[in-house]
Amino acid sequence: MKQIASACLLYVALSVAANAQDCPVAPDHSADVSAIIAQIQDAENEQAARVLSNQLWEFWTDAPDESAQAVLDRGMTRRNAWDLLGAIEDFDRLIAYCPSYAEGYNQRAFAHYLRQDFQSALPDLDRAIELSPNHVAAISGRALTLLGLQRIDEAREALSQALELNPWLSERHLMAPGGPLALPGEDI
């Protein structure tokens, strides 16, 4: 029985590796993302920054090919309809097909976060950030996930990193006096 299980695991691993080789490299939007982040940092108000922030999603959700795009779009639609388990299945497929595409991990983390499965969300966020270091949404999502895990100091550090990239994030209120991530001694 162990030999059969081992053979099945090997087959699955080889299938995933073969599929991953079929996935093209995701478009490199790093220069565009950096330019928009610079504009956000110079924005005069939150509304202007929000318009710019929405442009970031156009780059982050630009999947490597049509197949990956279809799976990403379906997963996001399922997530928006609160079919979180179905969304996770789609994001699992996307990650198996395109393991170097950051948004697959970020979206799966978001579905886990919505399920309040913070333990499952955190490794996906870490991987998304590793693949896309200026992914402000993944970094702020990591802060919220760490807050959900009651890892306050780490959450504060992650949110500070996100706010360096986008000082207009709505999550900034979490660090205001009286907020759950306010510095000690800055409470009301």
Side-chain angles (χ1 to χ4, degrees):
M1 190 58 107
K2 284 184 179 181
Q3 291 175 336
I4 293 173
S6 294
C8 287
L9 286 174
L10 178 62
Y11 174 76
V12 168
L14 290 174
S15 295
V16 167
N19 285 339
Q21 290 175 358
D22 294 339
C23 180
V25 174
D28 181 7
H29 296 299
S30 57
D32 295 316
V33 167
S34 293
I36 290 174
I37 288 173
Q39 292 174 25
I40 290 169
Q41 292 168 342
D42 291 337
E44 293 186 22
N45 57 48
E46 185 174 358
Q47 184 177 7
R50 188 175 298 131
V51 170
L52 292 165
S53 293
N54 289 339
Q55 291 177 22
L56 291 172
W57 286 106
E58 294 173 23
F59 297 117
W60 292 330
T61 59
D62 185 15
D65 66 11
E66 288 181 24
S67 297
Q69 191 69 57
V71 176
L72 174 67
D73 292 345
R74 184 179 60 228
M76 290 171 57
T77 298
R78 291 171 102 176
R79 187 206 61 231
N80 290 340
W82 285 90
D83 176 8
L84 300 177
L85 294 177
I88 290 168
E89 288 176 9
D90 283 333
F91 300 135
D92 286 345
R93 275 195 276 294
L94 178 58
I95 290 166
Y97 175 58
C98 298
S100 296
Y101 177 50
E103 197 57 32
Y105 297 95
N106 185 54
Q107 291 297 323
R108 185 169 68 180
F110 187 30
H112 284 304
Y113 177 86
L114 291 173
R115 294 183 69 235
Q116 296 186 356
D117 183 358
F118 307 122
Q119 286 296 119
S120 295
L122 193 56
D124 279 344
L125 290 164
D126 289 340
R127 181 67 176 140
I129 295 164
E130 179 183 328
L131 292 167
S132 182
N134 286 342
H135 198 309
V136 180
I139 298 167
S140 63
R142 185 173 189 278
L144 294 172
T145 299
L146 289 163
L147 179 59
L149 291 168
Q150 297 299 306
R151 292 166 55 180
I152 304 303
D153 291 337
E154 292 172 88
R156 186 180 303 115
E157 183 179 323
L159 187 53
S160 292
Q161 180 185 5
L163 289 170
E164 285 177 22
L165 296 170
N166 181 353
W168 297 101
L169 287 174
S170 60
E171 293 87 353
R172 70 186 185 276
H173 73 277
L174 297 171
M175 292 185 69
L181 298 180
L183 290 172
E186 290 189 6
D187 46 1
I188 296 176

